[in-house]
PDB file of all heavy atoms in Angstrom:
ATOM      1  N   GLU A  52     130.323 111.603  62.402  1.00 88.00           N
ATOM      2  CA  GLU A  52     129.767 112.654  61.545  1.00 88.00           C
ATOM      3  C   GLU A  52     129.776 114.009  62.268  1.00 88.00           C
ATOM      4  O   GLU A  52     130.133 115.041  61.695  1.00 88.00           O
ATOM      5  CB  GLU A  52     128.334 112.300  61.144  1.00 88.00           C
ATOM      6  CG  GLU A  52     128.197 111.140  60.181  1.00 88.00           C
ATOM      7  CD  GLU A  52     128.465 111.544  58.734  1.00 88.00           C
ATOM      8  OE1 GLU A  52     128.859 112.705  58.493  1.00 88.00           O
ATOM      9  OE2 GLU A  52     128.291 110.692  57.839  1.00 88.00           O
ATOM     10  N   ILE A  53     129.370 114.003  63.529  1.00 86.00           N
ATOM     11  CA  ILE A  53     129.308 115.262  64.280  1.00 86.00           C
ATOM     12  C   ILE A  53     130.711 115.810  64.513  1.00 86.00           C
ATOM     13  O   ILE A  53     130.947 117.020  64.414  1.00 86.00           O
ATOM     14  CB  ILE A  53     128.567 115.044  65.614  1.00 86.00           C
ATOM     15  CG1 ILE A  53     127.087 114.735  65.333  1.00 86.00           C
ATOM     16  CG2 ILE A  53     128.678 116.254  66.528  1.00 86.00           C
ATOM     17  CD1 ILE A  53     126.291 114.302  66.547  1.00 86.00           C
ATOM     18  N   ALA A  54     131.663 114.914  64.813  1.00 86.00           N
ATOM     19  CA  ALA A  54     133.041 115.360  64.986  1.00 86.00           C
ATOM     20  C   ALA A  54     133.588 115.959  63.697  1.00 86.00           C
ATOM     21  O   ALA A  54     134.296 116.978  63.702  1.00 86.00           O
ATOM     22  CB  ALA A  54     133.904 114.184  65.444  1.00 86.00           C
ATOM     23  N   GLU A  55     133.245 115.348  62.563  1.00 87.00           N
ATOM     24  CA  GLU A  55     133.684 115.865  61.266  1.00 87.00           C
ATOM     25  C   GLU A  55     133.064 117.230  60.991  1.00 87.00           C
ATOM     26  O   GLU A  55     133.726 118.144  60.504  1.00 87.00           O
ATOM     27  CB  GLU A  55     133.300 114.865  60.168  1.00 87.00           C
ATOM     28  CG  GLU A  55     133.786 115.225  58.780  1.00 87.00           C
ATOM     29  CD  GLU A  55     135.296 115.150  58.663  1.00 87.00           C
ATOM     30  OE1 GLU A  55     135.921 114.438  59.465  1.00 87.00           O
ATOM     31  OE2 GLU A  55     135.843 115.815  57.764  1.00 87.00           O
ATOM     32  N   ALA A  56     131.770 117.374  61.329  1.00 89.00           N
ATOM     33  CA  ALA A  56     131.099 118.661  61.126  1.00 89.00           C
ATOM     34  C   ALA A  56     131.726 119.746  61.992  1.00 89.00           C
ATOM     35  O   ALA A  56     131.869 120.901  61.572  1.00 89.00           O
ATOM     36  CB  ALA A  56     129.611 118.523  61.443  1.00 89.00           C
ATOM     37  N   ALA A  57     132.109 119.391  63.222  1.00 87.00           N
ATOM     38  CA  ALA A  57     132.769 120.365  64.093  1.00 87.00           C
ATOM     39  C   ALA A  57     134.079 120.826  63.489  1.00 87.00           C
ATOM     40  O   ALA A  57     134.421 122.021  63.538  1.00 87.00           O
ATOM     41  CB  ALA A  57     133.008 119.737  65.471  1.00 87.00           C
ATOM     42  N   ASP A  58     134.815 119.899  62.868  1.00 86.00           N
ATOM     43  CA  ASP A  58     136.056 120.283  62.187  1.00 86.00           C
ATOM     44  C   ASP A  58     135.781 121.213  61.012  1.00 86.00           C
ATOM     45  O   ASP A  58     136.483 122.211  60.805  1.00 86.00           O
ATOM     46  CB  ASP A  58     136.785 119.030  61.688  1.00 86.00           C
ATOM     47  CG  ASP A  58     137.507 118.296  62.812  1.00 86.00           C
ATOM     48  OD1 ASP A  58     137.562 118.857  63.930  1.00 86.00           O
ATOM     49  OD2 ASP A  58     137.985 117.180  62.587  1.00 86.00           O
ATOM     50  N   ARG A  59     134.740 120.877  60.227  1.00 87.00           N
ATOM     51  CA  ARG A  59     134.432 121.718  59.050  1.00 87.00           C
ATOM     52  C   ARG A  59     134.046 123.126  59.460  1.00 87.00           C
ATOM     53  O   ARG A  59     134.300 124.083  58.729  1.00 87.00           O
ATOM     54  CB  ARG A  59     133.286 121.076  58.250  1.00 87.00           C
ATOM     55  CG  ARG A  59     133.672 119.793  57.549  1.00 87.00           C
ATOM     56  CD  ARG A  59     132.711 119.489  56.387  1.00 87.00           C
ATOM     57  NE  ARG A  59     131.326 119.524  56.787  1.00 87.00           N
ATOM     58  CZ  ARG A  59     130.674 118.473  57.313  1.00 87.00           C
ATOM     59  NH1 ARG A  59     131.342 117.347  57.519  1.00 87.00           N
ATOM     60  NH2 ARG A  59     129.409 118.558  57.630  1.00 87.00           N
ATOM     61  N   HIS A  60     133.408 123.267  60.621  1.00 87.00           N
ATOM     62  CA  HIS A  60     133.008 124.595  61.090  1.00 87.00           C
ATOM     63  C   HIS A  60     134.142 125.309  61.807  1.00 87.00           C
ATOM     64  O   HIS A  60     133.944 126.435  62.303  1.00 87.00           O
ATOM     65  CB  HIS A  60     131.805 124.470  62.036  1.00 87.00           C
ATOM     66  CG  HIS A  60     130.521 124.175  61.334  1.00 87.00           C
ATOM     67  ND1 HIS A  60     129.876 125.097  60.546  1.00 87.00           N
ATOM     68  CD2 HIS A  60     129.761 123.049  61.276  1.00 87.00           C
ATOM     69  CE1 HIS A  60     128.769 124.569  60.052  1.00 87.00           C
ATOM     70  NE2 HIS A  60     128.680 123.319  60.474  1.00 87.00           N
ATOM     71  N   GLY A  61     135.302 124.671  61.901  1.00 88.00           N
ATOM     72  CA  GLY A  61     136.452 125.336  62.495  1.00 88.00           C
ATOM     73  C   GLY A  61     136.368 125.491  64.002  1.00 88.00           C
ATOM     74  O   GLY A  61     136.965 126.434  64.556  1.00 88.00           O
ATOM     75  N   LEU A  62     135.645 124.597  64.663  1.00 86.00           N
ATOM     76  CA  LEU A  62     135.528 124.696  66.118  1.00 86.00           C
ATOM     77  C   LEU A  62     136.832 124.214  66.762  1.00 86.00           C
ATOM     78  O   LEU A  62     137.262 123.081  66.539  1.00 86.00           O
ATOM     79  CB  LEU A  62     134.356 123.864  66.618  1.00 86.00           C
ATOM     80  CG  LEU A  62     132.975 124.357  66.169  1.00 86.00           C
ATOM     81  CD1 LEU A  62     131.897 123.392  66.613  1.00 86.00           C
ATOM     82  CD2 LEU A  62     132.699 125.740  66.741  1.00 86.00           C
TER      83      LEU A  62
END
Side-chain angles (χ1 to χ4, degrees):
E52 290 280 6
I53 293 172
E55 184 68 23
D58 283 352
R59 290 201 308 274
H60 285 289
L62 294 175

